Amino acid sequence: MDPSTPWRNLGLIGLRLADLAVRYALTFAAVLLVASAAGGGFAASDVRGFVVLVGIPSVAICALHSLFSTRTGTAFRGRLAGLLLPPLWFLLFFPPLLPVPLLGQLLFALCVVRAPLLGPPRIRPLVRRVLGAARGRRRGPA
């Protein structure tokens, strides 16, 4: 493996993914506390449902977007904010519950998440090599 590829240090990537999960869990817990304090009426069974329906998909979306995004700054965070909205679809049926989790997802995407995990300078050469290899295979031998 070429030493300039970002995948050479899988331990660092694992630590950054764990950092992402911990940051999301803390943000998620704070959002649920605010929602319950604001009179959202959340019970313990609701928390379990939120973790399954919102938390796990959101962490997976963040991890994938953070690993494979070549953008930084506002472009990265804006796209991530849009990607974190679909896990909240079921809250459209419960309009009073929607604002606090929605603001929590946007807060996480725009302020808390580390953007991006690998960074564009290191991932672009890898993408170019993969695309070049794919083009070479498609053409076949001469």
Side-chain angles (χ1 to χ4, degrees):
M1 187 180 294
D2 183 14
S4 67
T5 64
W7 303 102
R8 72 182 184 278
N9 193 350
L10 293 177
L12 179 63
I13 294 170
L15 285 175
R16 288 183 177 175
L17 287 173
D19 176 60
L20 173 84
V22 168
R23 286 174 188 237
Y24 187 82
L26 292 174
T27 305
F28 191 75
V31 166
L32 289 179
L33 285 173
V34 168
S36 65
F42 290 107
S45 61
D46 294 336
V47 171
R48 235 177 292 121
F50 263 71
V51 168
V52 171
L53 293 173
V54 177
I56 294 171
S58 295
V59 169
I61 290 169
C62 289
L64 290 173
H65 182 65
S66 296
L67 283 173
F68 296 110
S69 178
T70 57
R71 301 187 186 286
T72 58
T74 306
F76 173 84
R77 292 180 182 281
R79 287 176 189 232
L80 183 60
L83 288 170
L84 288 180
L85 296 180
L88 299 175
W89 68 270
F90 68 95
L91 290 178
L92 293 173
F93 299 110
F94 307 100
L97 299 179
L98 182 62
V100 175
L102 177 70
L103 291 174
Q105 293 284 76
L106 293 176
L107 170 79
F108 179 76
L110 299 174
C111 302
V112 178
V113 73
R114 185 182 202 152
L117 291 180
L118 298 178
R122 293 178 280 167
I123 200 164
R124 283 190 187 131
L126 174 66
V127 171
R128 270 189 251 131
R129 270 195 303 277
V130 168
L131 291 176
R135 275 189 237 136
R137 281 191 210 124
R138 223 178 333 165
R139 291 182 190 148

